[in-house]
Amino acid sequence: MRIFLLCLILFVSAGCATNGQHQPGPFQAPVHRGLPEDPTLERHFQVHDPWEGFNRNMYHFNAQLDRYVYLPVVRTYEAILPDSVQQGVSNIFNNLKEIPIFVNSVLQGKAKKASVSLGRFVFNTTIGLGGIIDVLGNGGIPQENEDFGQTLGFWGVPPGPYLVLPVFGPSGVRDTGGVFVDAAMTINPSYGLFQDMSWIARESVSTGVYGVKAVDARHQVKFRYYETGSPFEYQLVRFIYSKKRELDIEK
Amino acid sequence: MHRALLLCLFVLAAFAPASAYEYPFKNPYEATVLGTLPRDEFPLDSIRPSSLRDLNPLSDLGAVRERELLLHERPVPEILWYDDTLQYSVALQRDVAPLLFIIAGTGSSYDSANCRFLQAVFHRAGYHVVSLSSPTYPNFVVSASTTQVPGFIPRDVADLYQSMDAIVNEIGRDRISSYNLTGYSLGGTQSAFLAELDTREKRFGFDKVMLLNPAVSLLTSATILDHLLSDNVADRTEAARVVADLVSDLSAAYRGSDEVNFGDEFLFALHGSRSISEKELKILIGVAFRVSLASMVFTSDVCTGAGYISPRGHVIEKNESLSPYLDAAVGVSFEDYVDEYLLPFLGFKDPTMTRERAVAASSLESIAPFLRESTSIAVMTNVDDPILTPDNLGFLKRTFNGRLTLYPAGGHCGNIRYRDNVAAMLDFFRK
């Protein structure tokens, strides 16, 4: 949380540097392509998005946070640590995700996924030295993909309107609830390890772990804002996100 | 006896046909959409083992780096804030080396799959490699174009030339032993013009230039792409429906497999799950072209404030929905863009400019004498490239003669990553 506040302060100061107001040039097009008013037009790629104004602001905010704060930190992290260490860090946090994946598989009655998840957690935690090595993943048993949003979807909870969350990005009302439930199920590894330390030491260690976790999370996501190059990226991302969630639930 | 057998073998070898071209997709539209299957790609490891790059992560100068360059100190519209600098990528050698520029195709960025692949190949082959976005790509329109109105090739090429010069200054001229150039699709056409411009401006002095699947005339090729869509659908509703159907088929492939993700492998998966009809392929190519055109048209209009798509004088706020603008922009064909926006703009800047002059100046035919004489420029394209008319092919044959390599299949840029093609490219640049 403290890191997030620090980021926010840095970000606000970075956002202050602007380079004047853009003005239209002297050329005027002889034709104005009026916006089409045909209400019968089928819109196959339309997504339910009643809060588009808020969402677009948030998308904009996330993109700026990414560009001025988050990505520079992630790039430094990637430049300093060898690939193998970065992989180990990712493996530790991914291993802890097995807990919500297991619980959600059980809640959906998916026995095979639940057993894969449990097996991965047990083997990777023991033989894989606390999850540093993804023993089973390297052996061809990759992590399953289940979260509480999918569990709700599985039991018939509708996705609700599209919602862009600060930092987390594209989501929906249902999936937002899921994010918090899953987060509650993922323990911070420092709690168990540093119980004997003083309160201050324990708090700072756990804050550090959250910091590394945040950096690793961004490191693992390949998506980069505005990489599509299209000014219509918001629509594109909204459509792909919604479609992908729909399919994930069916799987 | 042995000697006789050996002689027989030699004789047989002499008569054996040169190994046949085995690129798998014989249908040009299929080739254009599906490109080259990973198993048929030129094997990168055959040039240099990849592990060399990972030896020292702290000083890995050889890795591909994404860079930004501020070329114009001018205010950028708020909704395009992220495009204020020119983005490009560079992969450098540790020592002095030849440099290769790669220019992306219509609507594509420096980070397109073809650019990335060629960059990896030539970097391993010992070149510094710089990849640049197409002047029709929104980032280039906002950050590098002087007029911010793309489509008139002499102007776009002058902007590319300025950007290349600025990038070379960033790298340092003393690190570069020679300059080389390639580009695919519209980037191929622009490469020819760049070579011609360089003989006048003399900032680089290109050693070798290779045009990959170039358009001969920008207007002709763009019109062909437009018609792939308009000739195959009754209206926009039908186009949207066909594309939505294809997407849901892709979804079926996603559901059916645990490995498939929303990535490059997606189309291959679809191809395995059912065959796409030629009509659908044409619509898909047409839609992809139209959507990238819409991005370019809207970006340019927002920059100039000309009032073509968004109302003149209206400032688009960052929380405003762009859906209505997307709807308006995808309705614009390339010919509409030329007649309703580009030509009026050129006429505004230069009242003597006519349609004929503008179209002719954006065709390779306008620099034909230069191309005939330049022995260092070669062309690689396909007999079945859908963006070329029989006349265009005739022009390429007459102009480039023995410097034209014509493959029997590959569609438009489908075989750029195919092993035989890349081997031939390497051969050309290394000779």
Side-chain angles (χ1 to χ4, degrees), chain A residues 19-36 40-46 52-54 56-57 60 63-64 67-68 78-83 112 144-145 226-232 235 238-240 243-244 247-248 250-251, chain B residues 57-58 68 74-77 81-82 84 111 137-138 236-237 240-241 243-244 247 251 254-255 257-258 261-262 294-295 298-299 302-312 318-328 331-332 336 340-341 344-345 348:
Chain A
N19 59 347
Q21 193 72 45
H22 172 257
Q23 297 290 335
F27 168 68
Q28 184 166 2
V31 179
H32 177 61
R33 282 267 170 178
L35 308 177
T40 60
L41 217 65
E42 274 182 86
R43 289 171 199 277
H44 290 275
F45 299 103
Q46 205 62 39
E52 185 168 351
F54 168 82
R56 278 189 171 276
N57 271 326
H60 184 89
Q64 292 207 322
R67 177 166 171 169
Y68 295 116
E78 288 170 352
I80 292 172
L81 296 179
D83 286 356
K112 188 178 162 239
E144 293 290 345
N145 164 24
Y226 301 114
E227 209 173 52
T228 61
S230 171
F232 304 115
Q235 276 112 317
R238 182 174 70 183
F239 175 73
I240 290 175
K243 192 79 198 168
K244 187 171 187 321
L247 295 167
D248 282 340
E250 284 177 40
K251 270 178 101 161
Chain B
L58 275 177
E68 295 184 9
R74 59 188 173 197
V76 164
W81 62 276
Y82 48 86
D84 55 350
D111 197 33
Y137 184 70
R236 278 182 53 202
T237 315
R241 187 180 51 71
V243 175
V247 170
S251 317
Y254 174 72
R255 263 202 309 276
S257 147
D258 277 338
N261 211 321
F262 280 96
S295 293
F298 178 67
T299 303
V302 171
C303 287
T304 60
Y308 183 44
I309 304 292
S310 86
R312 188 164 162 82
K318 60 176 185 284
N319 62 350
E320 185 177 338
S321 172
L322 299 187
S323 300
Y325 301 115
L326 175 59
D327 284 342
V332 177
D336 294 335
E340 298 172 354
Y341 184 80
F345 176 80
F348 177 79

Side-chain angles (χ1 to χ4, degrees), chain A residues 25 28 50 57 65 74 122 125 150 175 224:
Chain A
Q28 184 166 2
N57 271 326
L65 182 71
V74 172
V122 171
T125 307
Q150 289 181 46
D175 294 339
R224 295 289 180 265

Side-chain angles (χ1 to χ4, degrees), chain A residues 116-149:
Chain A
V116 167
S117 186
L118 183 65
R120 280 179 51 84
F121 185 72
V122 171
F123 275 93
N124 287 342
T125 307
T126 51
I127 304 173
L129 309 174
I132 296 172
I133 306 163
D134 185 0
V135 185
L136 289 197
N138 296 337
I141 307 176
Q143 190 163 46
E144 293 290 345
N145 164 24
E146 287 298 340
D147 55 53
F148 198 68

Side-chain angles (χ1 to χ4, degrees), chain B residues 65-104:
Chain B
R65 296 271 180 262
E66 321 227 314
R67 292 267 157 80
E68 295 184 9
L69 199 61
L70 183 68
L71 288 163
H72 300 274
E73 289 257 22
R74 59 188 173 197
V76 164
E78 195 187 358
I79 59 157
L80 302 172
W81 62 276
Y82 48 86
D83 274 339
D84 55 350
T85 51
L86 176 70
Q87 290 151 16
Y88 64 98
S89 72
V90 56
L92 296 178
Q93 306 292 335
R94 284 160 209 270
D95 304 316
V96 175
L99 173 82
L100 175 73
F101 287 109
I102 303 172
I103 315 290

Side-chain angles (χ1 to χ4, degrees), chain B residues 8 210 230 383 385:
Chain B
C8 275
M210 172 155 273
S230 58
V383 176
D385 189 332

